CSV table of all heavy atoms in Angstrom, one decimal:
chain,number,residue,atom,x,y,z
A,12,LYS,N,9.9,12.2,-28.1
A,12,LYS,CA,9.2,12.8,-29.3
A,12,LYS,C,7.8,12.2,-29.5
A,12,LYS,O,7.0,12.6,-30.3
A,12,LYS,CB,10.0,12.4,-30.6
A,12,LYS,CG,11.3,13.1,-30.6
A,12,LYS,CD,12.1,12.6,-31.9
A,12,LYS,CE,13.5,12.9,-31.8
A,12,LYS,NZ,14.3,12.2,-32.9
A,13,GLY,N,7.5,11.1,-28.7
A,13,GLY,CA,6.2,10.5,-28.9
A,13,GLY,C,6.2,9.6,-30.1
A,13,GLY,O,5.1,9.3,-30.7
A,14,GLY,N,7.3,9.2,-30.6
A,14,GLY,CA,7.5,8.4,-31.8
A,14,GLY,C,6.9,7.0,-31.6
A,14,GLY,O,6.4,6.6,-30.7
A,15,ALA,N,7.2,6.2,-32.7
A,15,ALA,CA,6.7,4.8,-32.7
A,15,ALA,C,7.1,4.0,-31.5
A,15,ALA,O,6.4,3.1,-31.1
A,15,ALA,CB,7.1,4.2,-34.0
A,16,ALA,N,8.3,4.3,-31.0
A,16,ALA,CA,8.7,3.5,-29.8
A,16,ALA,C,8.2,4.1,-28.5
A,16,ALA,O,8.6,3.7,-27.4
A,16,ALA,CB,10.3,3.5,-29.8
A,17,GLY,N,7.4,5.1,-28.6
A,17,GLY,CA,7.0,5.9,-27.4
A,17,GLY,C,5.6,5.5,-26.8
A,17,GLY,O,5.0,4.5,-27.3
A,18,TYR,N,5.2,6.2,-25.9
A,18,TYR,CA,4.0,6.0,-25.2
A,18,TYR,C,2.8,6.2,-26.2
A,18,TYR,O,2.8,7.1,-27.0
A,18,TYR,CB,3.8,7.1,-24.1
A,18,TYR,CG,2.5,7.1,-23.3
A,18,TYR,CD1,2.3,6.2,-22.3
A,18,TYR,CD2,1.5,7.9,-23.7
A,18,TYR,CE1,1.1,6.1,-21.6
A,18,TYR,CE2,0.3,7.9,-23.0
A,18,TYR,CZ,0.1,7.0,-22.0
A,18,TYR,OH,-1.1,7.0,-21.3
A,19,GLY,N,1.8,5.3,-26.1
A,19,GLY,CA,0.7,5.3,-26.9
A,19,GLY,C,0.8,4.5,-28.2
A,19,GLY,O,-0.1,4.5,-29.1
A,20,PHE,N,2.0,3.9,-28.4
A,20,PHE,CA,2.3,3.1,-29.6
A,20,PHE,C,2.8,1.7,-29.1
A,20,PHE,O,3.5,1.6,-28.1
A,20,PHE,CB,3.4,3.7,-30.4
A,20,PHE,CG,2.9,5.0,-31.1
A,20,PHE,CD1,3.0,6.2,-30.4
A,20,PHE,CD2,2.5,5.0,-32.4
A,20,PHE,CE1,2.6,7.4,-31.0
A,20,PHE,CE2,2.1,6.1,-33.0
A,20,PHE,CZ,2.1,7.3,-32.3
A,21,THR,N,2.5,0.7,-29.9
A,21,THR,CA,3.1,-0.7,-29.7
A,21,THR,C,4.6,-0.6,-30.0
A,21,THR,O,5.0,0.4,-30.7
A,21,THR,CB,2.4,-1.7,-30.5
A,21,THR,OG1,2.6,-1.5,-31.9
A,21,THR,CG2,0.9,-1.8,-30.2
A,22,VAL,N,5.3,-1.6,-29.7
A,22,VAL,CA,6.7,-1.7,-30.0
A,22,VAL,C,6.9,-1.7,-31.5
A,22,VAL,O,7.9,-1.1,-32.0
A,22,VAL,CB,7.4,-2.9,-29.4
A,22,VAL,CG1,8.8,-3.1,-29.9
A,22,VAL,CG2,7.4,-2.8,-27.9
A,23,SER,N,5.9,-2.2,-32.3
A,23,SER,CA,6.1,-2.3,-33.7
A,23,SER,C,5.6,-1.0,-34.4
A,23,SER,O,5.7,-0.8,-35.6
A,23,SER,CB,5.2,-3.4,-34.3
A,23,SER,OG,3.9,-3.2,-34.0
A,24,GLY,N,5.2,0.0,-33.6
A,24,GLY,CA,4.9,1.3,-34.1
A,24,GLY,C,3.4,1.6,-34.4
A,24,GLY,O,3.1,2.6,-35.0
A,25,THR,N,2.5,0.7,-34.1
A,25,THR,CA,1.1,0.8,-34.3
A,25,THR,C,0.5,1.7,-33.2
A,25,THR,O,0.7,1.4,-32.0
A,25,THR,CB,0.4,-0.5,-34.3
A,25,THR,OG1,1.0,-1.3,-35.3
A,25,THR,CG2,-1.1,-0.4,-34.6
A,26,ARG,N,-0.3,2.7,-33.6
A,26,ARG,CA,-1.0,3.5,-32.5
A,26,ARG,C,-2.0,2.7,-31.8
A,26,ARG,O,-2.7,2.0,-32.4
A,26,ARG,CB,-1.6,4.7,-33.2
A,26,ARG,CG,-2.3,5.7,-32.1
A,26,ARG,CD,-2.9,6.9,-32.8
A,26,ARG,NE,-2.0,7.8,-33.4
A,26,ARG,CZ,-1.3,8.7,-32.8
A,26,ARG,NH1,-1.4,8.9,-31.5
A,26,ARG,NH2,-0.4,9.5,-33.4
A,27,ILE,N,-2.0,2.8,-30.5
A,27,ILE,CA,-2.9,2.1,-29.6
A,27,ILE,C,-4.3,2.7,-29.7
A,27,ILE,O,-4.4,4.0,-29.5
A,27,ILE,CB,-2.4,2.0,-28.2
A,27,ILE,CG1,-1.1,1.3,-28.1
A,27,ILE,CG2,-3.4,1.4,-27.3
A,27,ILE,CD1,-0.4,1.4,-26.8
A,28,SER,N,-5.3,2.0,-29.9
A,28,SER,CA,-6.7,2.5,-29.8
A,28,SER,C,-7.3,2.1,-28.5
A,28,SER,O,-7.2,1.0,-28.0
A,28,SER,CB,-7.6,1.8,-30.9
A,28,SER,OG,-7.1,2.2,-32.2
A,29,PRO,N,-8.0,3.1,-27.8
A,29,PRO,CA,-8.6,2.8,-26.5
A,29,PRO,C,-9.9,1.9,-26.7
A,29,PRO,O,-10.5,2.0,-27.8
A,29,PRO,CB,-8.9,4.1,-26.0
A,29,PRO,CG,-9.1,5.0,-27.2
A,29,PRO,CD,-8.2,4.5,-28.2
A,30,PRO,N,-10.3,1.2,-25.7
A,30,PRO,CA,-11.6,0.5,-25.7
A,30,PRO,C,-12.7,1.5,-25.8
A,30,PRO,O,-12.6,2.7,-25.5
A,30,PRO,CB,-11.6,-0.3,-24.4
A,30,PRO,CG,-10.3,-0.2,-23.8
A,30,PRO,CD,-9.6,1.0,-24.4
A,31,ASN,N,-13.9,1.0,-26.3
A,31,ASN,CA,-15.1,1.9,-26.4
A,31,ASN,C,-15.4,2.5,-25.0
A,31,ASN,O,-15.4,1.8,-24.0
A,31,ASN,CB,-16.3,1.1,-26.9
A,31,ASN,CG,-16.2,0.8,-28.3
A,31,ASN,OD1,-15.5,1.5,-29.1
A,31,ASN,ND2,-16.8,-0.2,-28.8
A,32,GLY,N,-15.6,3.8,-24.9
A,32,GLY,CA,-16.0,4.5,-23.7
A,32,GLY,C,-14.8,4.9,-22.9
A,32,GLY,O,-14.9,5.4,-21.8
A,33,TRP,N,-13.6,4.7,-23.4
A,33,TRP,CA,-12.3,5.1,-22.8
A,33,TRP,C,-11.5,6.0,-23.7
A,33,TRP,O,-11.7,6.0,-24.9
A,33,TRP,CB,-11.5,3.8,-22.4
A,33,TRP,CG,-12.2,2.9,-21.4
A,33,TRP,CD1,-13.3,2.1,-21.6
A,33,TRP,CD2,-11.9,2.8,-20.1
A,33,TRP,NE1,-13.6,1.5,-20.5
A,33,TRP,CE2,-12.8,1.9,-19.5
A,33,TRP,CE3,-10.9,3.3,-19.2
A,33,TRP,CZ2,-12.7,1.5,-18.2
A,33,TRP,CZ3,-10.8,2.9,-17.9
A,33,TRP,CH2,-11.7,2.0,-17.4
A,34,ARG,N,-10.5,6.7,-23.1
A,34,ARG,CA,-9.6,7.5,-23.9
A,34,ARG,C,-8.2,7.3,-23.3
A,34,ARG,O,-8.0,6.9,-22.2
A,34,ARG,CB,-10.0,9.0,-23.8
A,34,ARG,CG,-9.8,9.6,-22.5
A,34,ARG,CD,-10.1,11.1,-22.5
A,34,ARG,NE,-10.1,11.6,-21.1
A,34,ARG,CZ,-9.0,12.0,-20.5
A,34,ARG,NH1,-7.8,11.9,-21.0
A,34,ARG,NH2,-9.1,12.5,-19.3
A,35,ILE,N,-7.2,7.4,-24.2
A,35,ILE,CA,-5.8,7.3,-23.8
A,35,ILE,C,-5.5,8.5,-22.9
A,35,ILE,O,-5.7,9.7,-23.4
A,35,ILE,CB,-4.9,7.2,-25.0
A,35,ILE,CG1,-5.2,6.0,-25.9
A,35,ILE,CG2,-3.4,7.1,-24.5
A,35,ILE,CD1,-4.8,4.7,-25.4
A,36,LEU,N,-4.9,8.3,-21.8
A,36,LEU,CA,-4.4,9.4,-20.9
A,36,LEU,C,-3.2,10.0,-21.5
A,36,LEU,O,-2.3,9.3,-22.0
A,36,LEU,CB,-4.1,8.8,-19.5
A,36,LEU,CG,-3.9,9.7,-18.4
A,36,LEU,CD1,-5.1,10.6,-18.1
A,36,LEU,CD2,-3.5,9.0,-17.1
A,37,ALA,N,-3.1,11.3,-21.6
A,37,ALA,CA,-2.0,12.0,-22.1
A,37,ALA,C,-0.7,11.7,-21.3
A,37,ALA,O,-0.8,11.6,-20.1
A,37,ALA,CB,-2.2,13.5,-22.2
A,38,GLN,N,0.4,11.6,-22.0
A,38,GLN,CA,1.7,11.3,-21.4
A,38,GLN,C,2.0,12.3,-20.4
A,38,GLN,O,1.8,13.5,-20.6
A,38,GLN,CB,2.8,11.2,-22.4
A,38,GLN,CG,4.1,10.7,-21.8
A,38,GLN,CD,5.1,10.4,-22.9
A,38,GLN,OE1,4.9,10.6,-24.1
A,38,GLN,NE2,6.3,10.0,-22.5
A,39,GLY,N,2.4,11.9,-19.2
A,39,GLY,CA,2.8,12.7,-18.1
A,39,GLY,C,1.7,13.1,-17.1
A,39,GLY,O,1.9,13.6,-16.1
A,40,MET,N,0.4,12.8,-17.5
A,40,MET,CA,-0.7,13.1,-16.6
A,40,MET,C,-0.8,12.1,-15.5
A,40,MET,O,-0.4,10.9,-15.7
A,40,MET,CB,-2.0,13.0,-17.4
A,40,MET,CG,-2.1,14.1,-18.5
A,40,MET,SD,-2.1,15.7,-17.9
A,40,MET,CE,-3.6,15.8,-16.9
A,41,PRO,N,-1.3,12.5,-14.3
A,41,PRO,CA,-1.4,11.5,-13.2
A,41,PRO,C,-2.4,10.4,-13.5
A,41,PRO,O,-3.4,10.7,-14.1
A,41,PRO,CB,-1.8,12.4,-12.0
A,41,PRO,CG,-2.1,13.8,-12.5
A,41,PRO,CD,-1.7,13.8,-14.0
A,42,VAL,N,-2.1,9.2,-13.1
A,42,VAL,CA,-3.0,8.1,-13.3
A,42,VAL,C,-4.0,8.0,-12.2
A,42,VAL,O,-3.7,7.9,-11.1
A,42,VAL,CB,-2.2,6.8,-13.4
A,42,VAL,CG1,-3.1,5.6,-13.6
A,42,VAL,CG2,-1.2,6.8,-14.5
A,43,PRO,N,-5.3,8.1,-12.6
A,43,PRO,CA,-6.4,8.1,-11.5
A,43,PRO,C,-6.5,6.6,-11.0
A,43,PRO,O,-6.0,5.7,-11.6
A,43,PRO,CB,-7.6,8.5,-12.3
A,43,PRO,CG,-7.4,8.2,-13.7
A,43,PRO,CD,-5.9,8.4,-13.9
A,44,VAL,N,-7.3,6.5,-10.0
A,44,VAL,CA,-7.5,5.1,-9.4
A,44,VAL,C,-8.1,4.2,-10.4
A,44,VAL,O,-7.7,3.0,-10.5
A,44,VAL,CB,-8.3,5.2,-8.1
A,44,VAL,CG1,-8.6,3.9,-7.5
A,44,VAL,CG2,-7.5,6.0,-7.1
A,45,ILE,N,-9.2,4.6,-11.1
A,45,ILE,CA,-9.8,3.8,-12.1
A,45,ILE,C,-9.1,4.0,-13.5
A,45,ILE,O,-9.1,5.1,-14.0
A,45,ILE,CB,-11.3,4.1,-12.2
A,45,ILE,CG1,-12.0,3.8,-10.9
A,45,ILE,CG2,-12.0,3.3,-13.4
A,45,ILE,CD1,-13.5,4.2,-10.8
A,46,HIS,N,-8.6,2.9,-14.0
A,46,HIS,CA,-7.8,3.0,-15.2
A,46,HIS,C,-7.7,1.6,-15.8
A,46,HIS,O,-8.0,0.6,-15.2
A,46,HIS,CB,-6.4,3.6,-15.0
A,46,HIS,CG,-5.6,2.7,-14.1
A,46,HIS,ND1,-5.7,2.8,-12.7
A,46,HIS,CD2,-4.7,1.8,-14.3
A,46,HIS,CE1,-4.9,2.0,-12.1
A,46,HIS,NE2,-4.2,1.3,-13.1
């Protein structure tokens, strides 16, 4: 479901923010070499 226990969230349920100049890769997308 992408809920608080899921990808893009910490175990405590906080949404992860990417560093400046970066974006969170969508779940299921292939991971490129630079990441």
Side-chain angles (χ1 to χ4, degrees):
K12 294 177 196 169
Y18 176 81
F20 291 85
T21 63
V22 172
S23 62
T25 305
R26 182 179 293 277
I27 298 169
S28 296
N31 288 335
W33 294 75
R34 66 177 175 81
I35 302 285
L36 190 61
Q38 186 170 4
M40 295 299 296
V42 178
V44 174
I45 298 176
H46 62 278

